[in-house]
Amino acid sequence: MRDDTPNETHRVHLSRTFDEDAELYDRARPGYPPELFDDLTEVAGIGPGCRVLEVGAGTGKATLPLAERGCRITAVELGADMAAVARRNLAAFEAVEIVTADFETWPLPEEPFDAVISATAFHWIDPAVRMTKAADALRPGGALAVVATQHVAGGSEEFFVEVQDCYERFDPATPPGLRLPAVEDVDTSDHEDEVVRSGRFGPVVFRRYEWDLTYTTAEYLEVLRTYSGHRALPPTARERLLECIAGLIDRRYGGRVTKRYLTELRVSRTAPALR
């Protein structure tokens, strides 16, 4: 299963796990490649004074770079603790408002937005609502920009093969022999299909970014503790899983592993106004 396709049966429950330790999330989760924000300017028209609605802002990992580019941002975040950390991180920017609400029921303001942006969060929004409401929030010709992040083959490749033994031992939901996909095998056409089905947007423009991040053992365990699937495990199983992973990194990889990320930007626009 891709990182951005949660099982619909568990989507709502898992989406609420992030708020359990917002400080850990803010400390451990990486941000996004700078080139992504450059491309947002080119493809989605993001720039100074642009009116942006951010869906699922978390602690502000994408909000801050957007604010630094002069955007006026209304950021909607479901988790109260996550929103509080985001307000702290964005305190220097008067043009940023953090709203604690779920996007599905939050009343849209009368003034439309130039862009709706969702970074590693759109998959947590109810699929029956997200496309239509995003379109309703936009001015004619406005852009929907969805950012998705995947863990792909690369980096410390042998570690990610070996570590599956830990997951198979302590997480019964782990498929046997699971392997990370190569970048070229990651098919995200389902987003394009969803855009087409909505009937509200034009063609999707895709941009991809591969990047590596090296973690110490402690840093890697911290980032794992922010993932919904790990957080949802029974506490004893989770701690044994993490102990198994830590032992493998320290014993076989000198206390450091490198993870390869694939970040994808997906931009589509609403129909322009008729002249």
Side-chain angles (χ1 to χ4, degrees), residues 8-71:
E8 187 59 24
T9 306
H10 305 296
R11 176 182 54 80
V12 173
H13 166 67
L14 292 176
S15 71
R16 284 158 171 73
T17 63
F18 303 110
D19 202 49
E20 294 169 356
D21 196 338
E23 295 290 351
L24 173 65
Y25 186 99
D26 190 54
R27 182 172 68 247
R29 282 293 184 103
Y32 299 94
E35 313 92 88
L36 182 151
F37 296 97
D38 295 337
D39 284 347
L40 271 173
T41 299
E42 177 190 341
V43 181
I46 302 298
C50 182
R51 183 168 154 79
V52 172
L53 170 61
E54 186 182 6
V55 178
T59 61
K61 294 289 183 178
T63 324
L64 182 57
L66 291 169
E68 290 172 340
R69 283 161 173 76
C71 296

Side-chain angles (χ1 to χ4, degrees), residues 94-105:
E94 293 183 359
V96 176
E97 177 188 14
I98 310 294
V99 178
T100 305
D102 66 274
F103 176 65
E104 291 90 337
T105 62

Side-chain angles (χ1 to χ4, degrees), residues 67-233:
E68 290 172 340
R69 283 161 173 76
C71 296
R72 296 179 295 144
I73 305 167
T74 299
V76 179
E77 168 53 44
L78 172 65
D81 289 348
M82 298 276 273
V85 174
R87 289 187 189 99
R88 183 186 70 205
N89 291 340
L90 277 299
F93 297 92
E94 293 183 359
V96 176
E97 177 188 14
I98 310 294
V99 178
T100 305
D102 66 274
F103 176 65
E104 291 90 337
T105 62
W106 178 66
L108 292 173
E110 289 187 13
E111 183 184 355
F113 293 89
D114 299 307
V116 172
I117 296 176
S118 187
T120 321
F122 205 60
H123 55 286
W124 295 118
I125 306 301
D126 185 348
V129 173
R130 58 196 180 200
M131 281 293 171
T132 299
K133 190 158 186 177
D136 289 345
L138 288 165
R139 63 167 173 79
L144 169 63
V146 174
V147 180
T149 301
Q150 315 283 341
H151 181 192
V152 294
S156 303
E157 291 200 60
E158 190 60 29
F159 163 73
F160 291 106
V161 173
E162 291 191 64
V163 79
Q164 288 306 309
D165 180 61
C166 294
Y167 283 95
E168 290 180 26
R169 287 165 60 190
F170 298 109
D171 181 1
T174 303
L178 186 67
R179 296 291 182 266
L180 291 169
V183 168
E184 57 270 21
D185 293 332
V186 176
D187 179 7
T188 56
S189 60
D190 54 335
H191 176 80
E192 189 169 24
D193 293 342
E194 185 179 3
V195 169
V196 171
R197 285 196 308 272
S198 76
R200 301 291 300 273
F201 296 93
V204 183
V205 176
F206 292 90
R207 297 284 172 88
R208 281 184 162 186
Y209 320 85
E210 291 179 61
W211 50 292
D212 289 350
L213 194 56
T214 298
Y215 296 94
T216 65
T217 303
E219 289 168 343
Y220 190 63
L221 294 192
E222 281 208 327
V223 78
L224 291 182
R225 290 180 187 275
T226 70
Y227 293 151
S228 59
H230 291 70
R231 298 194 67 85
L233 285 173

